[in-house]
Amino acid sequence: VSTHFIAMRAGTSIVRLYYNNTEVAAATITVTSDYTDYYTYMSWKETWKAQNWTSSMDAREKLRVAGQWVLDNLDYNTYNASQYLFAQGIGGTCYASAGFIYDLAKDLGLEAHIWNYQSEGHVGTVAKLEDGYWYLFEAGHAGTAGNRGTCIAAQMDARTLDEINLAPPNKLIQ
């Protein structure tokens, strides 16, 4: 069983799982912030696109530029897994970087996923581009802004999600 929970404002909710009308599990979810970070991020993301993308760029270059921007401008940190705080100049984990690139891929109308492709749990974004191939976009997992290397934008030898997801520890996360 999987579920998706979107919190719109601060508060506490109880999520209950029932099987044959019998409760089998319950979890209390406490949300400590409101949707302000999300709305701030969405506005910032549109401004970011206007400032960093040109009409001559294809989707691959746009996503590569996004990953490089993260590497050049935001420190890696272990406490922020949310791309929403990028709008406030706060760096983040590989999950935050992958989430930003994923959001931009979706804005471009691409099929995209966050992909766990290393045994230590490091993630990147995979997106299917116009040529029918999947590409990995990777924005690093260590270092300070400007010293974190180059964004990987690698074509994968895969045309289907099954081909990407074959070998452990690979796992599509979102």
Side-chain angles (χ1 to χ4, degrees):
V1 173
S2 67
T3 186
H4 187 79
F5 185 92
I6 298 175
M8 301 292 285
R9 61 182 178 193
T12 301
S13 295
I14 298 174
V15 177
R16 300 176 192 280
L17 175 64
Y18 291 88
Y19 180 75
N20 288 337
N21 294 324
T22 302
E23 183 177 322
V24 294
T28 300
I29 299 177
T30 302
V31 178
T32 59
S33 65
D34 58 26
Y35 234 34
T36 302
D37 287 341
Y38 171 79
Y39 290 123
T40 300
Y41 167 75
M42 295 304 281
S43 175
W44 170 84
K45 183 171 57 106
E46 293 306 312
T47 301
W48 184 93
K49 290 189 305 189
Q51 292 172 344
N52 292 280
W53 286 356
T54 68
S55 59
S56 64
M57 292 177 172
D58 63 11
R60 181 183 175 275
E61 182 62 10
K62 288 178 177 181
L63 297 178
R64 192 205 63 75
V65 163
Q68 193 61 50
W69 181 89
V70 170
L71 289 168
D72 291 343
N73 294 281
L74 299 174
D75 293 341
Y76 180 87
N77 67 54
T78 58
Y79 60 85
N80 175 30
S82 171
Q83 68 270 30
Y84 298 162
L85 296 184
F86 284 6
Q88 299 169 30
I90 298 172
T93 66
C94 56
Y95 285 90
S97 299
F100 177 53
I101 297 168
Y102 169 86
D103 289 344
L104 294 172
K106 290 302 204 174
D107 289 352
L108 291 168
L110 301 173
E111 184 177 356
H113 298 277
I114 296 174
W115 188 49
N116 175 14
Y117 68 97
Q118 293 182 349
S119 60
E120 67 268 14
H122 182 58
V123 299
T125 303
V126 291
K128 190 171 191 177
L129 301 186
E130 298 86 5
D131 63 5
Y133 284 97
W134 287 89
Y135 286 75
L136 169 65
F137 296 91
E138 150 67 83
H141 55 87
T144 57
N147 300 304
R148 294 179 56 202
T150 303
C151 176
I152 294 171
Q155 180 181 335
M156 303 173 74
D157 188 21
R159 288 186 172 263
T160 70
L161 289 178
D162 286 341
E163 290 171 327
I164 290 173
N165 220 22
L166 283 178
N170 300 341
K171 180 180 178 189
L172 295 174
I173 296 172
Q174 180 179 4

